[in-house]
Amino acid sequence: MRWPAACGTNPDGWWALGGTVFLTVEVAFFLANLTKITHGGWLPLLVAAAVFTVLLTWQRGRIIVTRNRTREEGPLLEFVEHLRTLDPPVHRVPGTTVFLNANPDTTPLALRANVEHNHVLQQRVIIMHIQVRNVPHVPDSDRLTSDNLGFDDDGISGLNASFGFQDEPNVPATLRLAVKTGHLSAQDLEEVTYFLSRITLVQSTQRNMATWRKKLFLAISRNSAHPVAYFGLPISRSISMGEQIPL
């Protein structure tokens, strides 16, 4: 194939020529609309800048909080092994506790706090991780997976539940489904207590984000939905425990 002399023998010359033409048109269109900024066009630009700042601050803040929280939680499997070495051992009482956790590989803060401060665990401990997939619905047959976390005799197990973004993440209903599908026994649901890992964000002196952006993130985080209502938990059997996480 013969290329025109204007573009030489290199086909990239066509891309450069086309890009120059379109860039010229776009720049001319942009310059023609600059006069609208002083006649009210500044308002949508200001709103867009404010929204962009909020979204960028939220994204950066979540990255920092998640990193600090992961460090405080520590690996789950190491904690389960540590429980077996405690002397005296943790006192076990009748009943079932469900610890909700955002990360399936880390230890729920409520579980750490309960062991360190109350020195007690129920006979059956379920560490439940809820994942929201990028699909509208997840069928019941694909919703649950379980894991004994390395030991069959300690009464501690993991339960992973997947939901679509249009599904309702109702935890009690999910536990009943787990009994129906054989992941749990009916006896496990006779006396259930739900533990939530609630974090209290505090502003640190670390230079990982501007001070005004930290204050903005803390203000936004106060408006997040309460997990008891979001997960359909019974208020009378839900307990919140956790720690302070620096931002």
Side-chain angles (χ1 to χ4, degrees):
M1 182 175 182
R2 188 181 299 275
W3 299 100
C7 296
T9 60
N10 189 351
D12 290 340
W14 282 104
W15 292 104
L17 178 62
T20 302
V21 172
F22 283 107
L23 181 62
T24 302
V25 173
E26 292 295 331
V27 170
F29 181 76
F30 174 75
L31 293 176
N33 284 275
L34 284 179
T35 57
K36 297 181 180 180
I37 295 179
T38 57
H39 295 83
W42 58 269
L43 181 58
L45 293 178
L46 180 62
V47 173
V51 172
F52 177 77
T53 300
V54 170
L55 294 178
L56 195 62
T57 299
W58 179 257
Q59 181 187 39
R60 176 59 181 168
R62 290 294 298 171
I63 292 174
I64 296 173
V65 171
T66 300
R67 181 180 65 239
N68 293 340
R69 177 171 180 166
T70 300
R71 183 176 62 249
E72 291 293 332
E73 290 175 336
L76 175 59
L77 295 182
E78 289 185 8
F79 183 79
V80 173
E81 293 180 359
H82 172 68
L83 290 177
R84 301 174 66 88
T85 63
L86 293 178
D87 187 22
V90 175
H91 182 61
R92 307 299 289 265
V93 296
T96 300
T97 51
V98 176
F99 291 88
L100 300 183
N101 200 33
N103 190 332
D105 300 321
T106 60
T107 308
L109 292 174
L111 177 57
R112 282 189 178 276
N114 191 46
V115 171
E116 293 175 2
H117 300 293
N118 297 331
H119 308 288
V120 65
L121 278 178
Q122 272 72 7
Q123 292 178 344
R124 177 67 167 164
V125 176
I126 302 172
I127 302 173
M128 189 172 182
H129 166 64
I130 294 180
Q131 176 188 17
V132 179
R133 297 182 182 176
N134 192 26
V135 294
H137 300 285
V138 174
D140 290 346
S141 58
D142 298 333
R143 189 176 304 282
L144 298 173
T145 59
S146 57
D147 186 3
N148 64 4
L149 302 180
F151 303 98
D152 294 322
D153 59 347
D154 60 359
I156 304 176
S157 62
L159 183 65
N160 300 321
S162 298
F163 293 89
F165 55 79
Q166 292 185 359
D167 293 328
E168 181 180 357
N170 187 288
V171 170
T174 303
L175 294 178
R176 292 191 294 269
L177 176 63
V179 172
K180 182 179 178 180
T181 55
H183 293 281
L184 298 176
S185 66
Q187 185 179 3
D188 295 331
L189 302 187
E190 292 180 357
E191 188 178 349
V192 181
T193 303
Y194 301 92
F195 277 80
L196 301 172
S197 299
R198 296 285 289 177
I199 63 173
T200 301
L201 298 178
V202 292
Q203 183 175 330
S204 70
T205 58
Q206 297 180 0
R207 297 181 179 180
N208 46 23
M209 194 164 57
T211 302
W212 67 269
R213 293 182 66 190
K214 289 186 178 184
K215 294 182 181 297
L216 176 60
F217 181 85
L218 292 175
I220 298 173
S221 63
R222 296 190 188 100
N223 297 322
S224 59
H226 199 283
V228 172
Y230 180 76
F231 293 115
L233 304 178
I235 298 178
S236 60
R237 288 188 283 130
S238 300
I239 301 173
S240 295
M241 301 183 70
E243 296 183 12
Q244 289 184 339
I245 300 297
L247 175 61

